[in-house]
Amino acid sequence: GGEESGARSNDVVQFNMGGFVMQFDGVDDEIMVPHLPTIIPTTYTMEAWVKPAKVGPMSIIARSDESYPMVAWSHQLRINASGCLEHYCEADDKYKVSHTQPVEAGRWYHVAGVATADGDMRLFVDGQEEGTSADVGALRQKLDRYFIGSATGDGMGMFEGSIAEVRLWNYAQSEDEIKDGMRKVLLGTERGLVGYWRINEGPGAMVFDFSSYNNVGPVKGEPNWSANRVPLT
């Protein structure tokens, strides 16, 4: 807000510097972004770059509703109690697909989850399919927002480390598509892209959605930001 030529304004404007990486502290840093359930009713691909600062059970991103992710959670990328990257979702039952190798603290990973109602659910790490795909039924509906870095049920704690380039698609991407796009900066107008949070804005109260849906997400907590780069080309 401010005053110009005697006219007062309460508008809040963030200067989007870009090139920063948010450091989630594992205590109270999180992002919540609205996302209508009609956008991805039957299939999705979700992906992110992550650099955990420790090895332990932590949520990266999860879909939830007004009850928040300790009560309702699905469509989730996370690190499980064994320290392995995992894709979790609720359909007619609860399903998860896990990597077999624990993550290393301080290293960047690209993780992607793909699920199709009455189809299969898959996990990709650094562009390659990992774990054993699962056959699922109808995906859980009526969830209307995403929580990035938040604690969830199943004992998943707040994320400690960096999360960047969170992307949501309304179709099931193939392994080749994930591998081809994971290191690229997107335009935001790509076919099927329904959410794109780069999380590179720098200190401020919001992160921006570079897809056409423009779902801005408030930042909770007081995270540190660094000038580290995500491994993109």
Side-chain angles (χ1 to χ4, degrees):
E3 181 174 329
E4 181 179 1
S5 302
R8 286 187 174 274
S9 171
N10 293 320
D11 293 339
V12 177
V13 179
Q14 181 177 5
F15 182 36
N16 186 359
M17 296 284 290
F20 289 90
V21 174
M22 181 174 163
Q23 310 293 324
F24 293 78
D25 64 5
V27 178
D28 61 357
D29 295 342
E30 62 182 358
I31 302 167
M32 186 276 288
V33 288
H35 205 263
L36 294 176
T38 54
I39 297 177
I40 52 166
T42 59
T43 186
Y44 67 82
T45 300
M46 58 194 310
E47 56 178 319
W49 279 97
V50 298
K51 185 169 73 170
K54 67 176 185 181
V55 179
M58 302 183 291
S59 177
I60 299 166
I61 178 173
R63 191 166 175 86
S64 186
D65 58 20
E66 69 277 1
S67 63
Y68 280 54
M70 291 299 292
V71 177
W73 72 98
S74 182
H75 304 42
Q76 183 179 33
L77 297 177
R78 62 193 192 182
I79 298 174
N80 64 23
S82 300
C84 299
L85 289 163
E86 188 170 83
H87 177 201
Y88 167 87
C89 107
E90 287 189 21
D92 56 326
D93 202 344
K94 298 180 179 181
Y95 297 90
K96 57 186 177 182
V97 180
S98 307
H99 193 9
T100 57
Q101 297 297 319
V103 298
E104 298 176 16
R107 177 189 160 186
W108 280 107
Y109 294 88
H110 182 269
V111 57
V114 177
T116 301
D118 300 313
D120 61 3
M121 170 184 170
R122 305 163 73 188
L123 171 72
F124 300 85
V125 178
D126 293 334
Q128 294 186 337
E129 185 168 6
E130 301 289 350
T132 303
S133 63
D135 292 330
V136 300
L139 300 181
R140 180 169 178 172
Q141 298 296 302
K142 299 182 180 179
L143 303 176
D144 62 357
R145 64 198 73 186
Y146 282 94
F147 287 83
I148 302 172
S150 304
T152 76
D154 281 352
M156 297 294 120
M158 304 282 288
F159 191 85
E160 184 174 346
S162 298
I163 303 173
E165 290 290 318
V166 174
R167 305 167 181 181
L168 299 172
W169 308 81
N170 64 6
Y171 72 101
Q173 288 197 330
S174 66
E175 182 172 339
D176 287 342
E177 286 177 300
I178 291 171
K179 185 181 298 184
D180 180 64
M182 70 183 197
R183 294 187 182 275
K184 296 179 180 178
V185 176
L186 304 182
L187 297 175
T189 56
E190 286 80 359
R191 177 185 68 87
L193 184 67
V194 295
Y196 183 25
W197 300 276
R198 301 202 62 199
I199 317 182
N200 71 339
E201 289 82 357
M206 297 285 179
V207 296
F208 299 100
D209 181 3
F210 290 89
S211 79
S212 60
Y213 286 86
N214 195 32
N215 285 315
V216 176
V219 176
K220 180 182 177 182
E222 297 181 355
N224 291 321
W225 295 79
S226 74
N228 294 332
R229 290 182 175 271
V230 181
L232 301 175
T233 54

